[in-house]
Amino acid sequence: LEAPLKAGALVAEEVQGGNLSYAFRVADSEGHAVFVKQAPDFIKCLGPEAKLERERMQLEVAVYGEWATMLGPELASKYLPKIFKLDLQRMTFIMEFLGSYELLQKSLFRGVIDVHVARS
């Protein structure tokens, strides 16, 4: 496991847009950042009464692994975020923060349509 964050104070801010899990951008004082995602045993936006299996986090990370195997090392490093850590006890994972990317949902809400995405 490489250390993407350097020593010093860390700042966490919630990443908005998800309905199922908690998601945060955690950055150090030099601007290096990671994405932290945690799956509770319920649907985040509905609350504890709306139960959902938290093992979905393990499945999500496994899918990234399958995609990486299918793509091979060169393409996987180009197209998939790097997973740094999976904590099965807390159902949390830490991965590369893709700060230069925009969520497709945000583009669609602004009325921006990418024909290439629509065709795929």
Side-chain angles (χ1 to χ4, degrees), residues 3 10 14-15 19 23 32 34-35 38 40 43 52 55 57-58 60 68 73-74 91 98 116:
L10 300 178
E14 187 169 6
V15 175
N19 295 318
H32 304 103
V34 294
F35 180 74
Q38 191 264 335
I43 299 172
L52 185 64
E55 286 73 21
M57 188 64 55
Q58 187 174 359
E60 183 175 339
E74 185 178 333
M91 282 301 160
L98 304 175
H116 300 294

Side-chain angles (χ1 to χ4, degrees), residues 18-22 42-47 50:
N19 295 318
L20 299 178
S21 302
Y22 295 103
F42 56 87
I43 299 172
K44 180 189 86 165
C45 68
L46 298 178

Side-chain angles (χ1 to χ4, degrees), residues 23-109:
F24 298 90
R25 175 187 179 270
V26 178
D28 63 20
S29 57
E30 295 178 13
H32 304 103
V34 294
F35 180 74
V36 180
K37 188 171 180 182
Q38 191 264 335
D41 61 352
F42 56 87
I43 299 172
K44 180 189 86 165
C45 68
L46 298 178
E49 301 78 33
K51 295 296 183 194
L52 185 64
E53 296 295 324
R54 61 196 295 260
E55 286 73 21
R56 65 187 184 275
M57 188 64 55
Q58 187 174 359
L59 179 61
E60 183 175 339
V61 172
V63 167
Y64 280 119
E66 287 293 319
W67 290 341
T69 299
M70 289 188 300
L71 290 172
E74 185 178 333
L75 289 176
S77 67
K78 184 176 180 180
Y79 292 109
L80 297 176
K82 185 181 295 183
I83 306 291
F84 296 112
K85 175 74 175 166
L86 170 63
D87 182 334
L88 293 175
Q89 182 178 3
R90 293 176 181 85
M91 282 301 160
T92 302
F93 74 81
I94 302 170
M95 72 179 214
E96 178 182 8
F97 183 73
L98 304 175
S100 63
Y101 292 83
E102 181 178 38
L103 292 175
L104 177 60
Q105 177 187 26
K106 287 184 178 182
S107 295
L108 293 174
F109 285 163

